[in-house]
Amino acid sequence: MKIESHLESFREHRETIFDWAIKIKGLKESQRIIGTHASRGIVDLLAVYLLKRNLIDPGVQLNHRWFKSDKILERLPEFDNKKEIVLRMIELELLCEDLTYGSPKAELQIKKAVEIFRELEEKLK
């Protein structure tokens, strides 16, 4: 996909989290929504980051499911703070999977996913 397509997808995920889930439904009532959109949105933002630096081709597709283990470190090209960013993305993916498919979680866990999302957003922008 092109950079613009990834950016649009990221914006949609971000708006779903912050403008709809948190503002309208509330954090506690948005566990599955946040779990579904946070990891996918950050993967789109990573794709933008890598595309802008010409580290991947537009035809390369990153899958959020790849971020369940540190083996993803071998699949990605080298970039600044790669290990730190990827390890946080793994943490986010595992947390989001639990939020999406698991039983109801404490508000603290839902909030942690949002905080990791924001942290990674800052690092990748």
Side-chain angles (χ1 to χ4, degrees):
M1 279 191 336
K2 294 180 180 179
I3 290 173
E4 297 79 22
S5 298
H6 283 291
L7 280 173
E8 180 60 27
S9 180
F10 172 75
R11 280 188 213 104
E12 288 174 4
H13 288 297
R14 192 177 196 296
E15 286 173 9
T16 301
I17 294 168
F18 294 100
D19 295 343
W20 187 74
I22 294 174
K23 283 184 183 174
I24 294 173
K25 287 190 75 172
L27 187 70
K28 185 69 176 157
E29 300 301 317
S30 300
Q31 172 181 322
R32 283 177 175 55
I33 296 164
I34 291 168
T36 300
H37 290 277
S39 66
R40 288 164 178 82
I42 286 300
V43 170
D44 273 315
L45 196 57
L46 176 64
V48 169
Y49 178 90
L50 296 174
L51 284 165
K52 282 185 173 181
R53 285 157 183 77
N54 295 314
L55 296 173
I56 61 171
D57 294 323
V60 172
Q61 291 187 354
L62 302 178
N63 188 317
H64 71 96
R65 291 182 188 104
W66 297 347
F67 291 85
K68 290 184 182 183
S69 84
D70 61 2
K71 292 197 183 291
I72 185 64
L73 287 163
E74 300 166 12
R75 296 180 84 167
L76 294 173
E78 289 303 316
F79 57 90
D80 291 342
N81 302 313
K82 175 184 173 181
K83 188 170 184 177
E84 174 190 347
I85 289 169
V86 171
L87 291 178
R88 288 298 271 173
M89 289 181 73
I90 292 169
E91 183 179 1
L92 179 63
E93 173 61 27
L94 295 174
L95 177 57
C96 286
E97 183 174 39
D98 199 26
L99 292 174
T100 302
Y101 302 110
S103 60
K105 304 297 181 226
E107 194 170 320
L108 189 61
Q109 283 185 281
I110 303 166
K111 190 175 184 178
K112 183 176 182 181
V114 173
E115 289 169 356
I116 295 171
F117 179 93
R118 284 184 169 145
E119 173 192 327
L120 287 166
E121 180 182 18
E122 281 300 311
K123 290 179 190 239
L124 293 170
K125 277 195 168 183

